[in-house]
Amino acid sequence: KTVGIAEAVLSETIADWETALPDEIKLAYLPRLGQVRMRLTATGNDLAHLKELVEIEIAKLFPLVGNYIYAYDDEEIEHTIGKLLTDRGEKLATAESCTGGLIANRITDIAGCSAYYEGGIVAYSNNVKNQQLGVKAETLAQHGAVSEQTAMEMAENARIKYGADYGISTTGIAGPGGATPDKPVGTIWIGYSDKNETFAKLYNLTKDRMLNVNFTYNLAMNLLRKKLIEQD
């Protein structure tokens, strides 16, 4: 399973590898929101041999797109995040606006998530962002709720407020309304904070509300995944 790379880019990146696959192995691309699954199907009469062939090809694939591979089989990205946090003995807090609690919901669907998830807040209005999450009133007045500065304060304040090691935030214009000339529908900021750094990344997504919410979820989880891997 891959995340953070479009199907067209993925297929181009691994084109030579795919062309060189043994005759017994076929590759299928199974795209979904923000992710692409690659299914290798091996056909023949010797099961042990086929399994060995698949393992060899996966080993060849990893150097090409290993940074985008987050899991195998039925594991979802929230499971990957949980394993990484558990292995590190660290915890996460979230501050969500445009995703409306989707990150918290997916994480808490997993039994045992209390070992690595401290909690979060859905700070949808400016009032809640300011009074409950501690985003400065001047930040909201000067830069707006959908801004780099607000996303950064949301992530950092959530981390500190809940005593976590990492903070992730989402704020954006999911649509269909709420756009301005300089902030069209699909303008999304994702914030990240740990003890060493706090930053936010801008994404320009679609005009569809639910696509934007789900894309933002995957982007936020992949951003966290990459930062956790970097620190290993």
Side-chain angles (χ1 to χ4, degrees), residues 185-200:
V185 171
T187 301
I188 304 291
W189 284 96
I190 296 175
Y192 168 89
S193 180
D194 62 32
K195 64 181 180 181
N196 297 313
E197 63 176 335
T198 297
F199 64 87

Side-chain angles (χ1 to χ4, degrees), residues 14-109:
I14 65 173
D16 291 342
W17 169 83
E18 182 178 359
T19 301
L21 282 172
D23 292 339
E24 298 96 328
I25 297 179
K26 302 300 180 185
L27 172 67
Y29 295 93
L30 305 170
R32 63 178 186 176
L33 289 176
Q35 300 183 20
V36 181
R37 290 183 293 157
M38 293 181 287
R39 184 179 65 204
L40 290 171
T41 303
T43 305
N45 297 318
D46 187 338
L47 182 59
H49 173 65
L50 295 176
K51 286 183 176 180
E52 182 181 3
L53 281 182
V54 170
E55 291 300 323
I56 289 171
E57 293 307 321
I58 290 175
K60 294 178 183 177
L61 178 66
F62 201 84
L64 302 175
V65 290
N67 288 340
Y68 301 103
I69 297 173
Y70 74 85
Y72 299 90
D73 300 320
D74 295 326
E75 183 175 303
E76 299 292 350
I77 194 165
E78 54 266 27
H79 294 90
T80 303
I81 294 296
K83 288 180 179 178
L84 288 168
L85 288 167
T86 299
D87 289 345
R88 298 176 63 86
E90 295 177 326
K91 297 194 176 186
L92 171 68
T94 55
E96 301 181 64
S97 185
C98 62
T99 45
L102 180 61
I103 296 175
N105 175 257
R106 293 278 180 87
I107 290 174
T108 56
D109 275 346

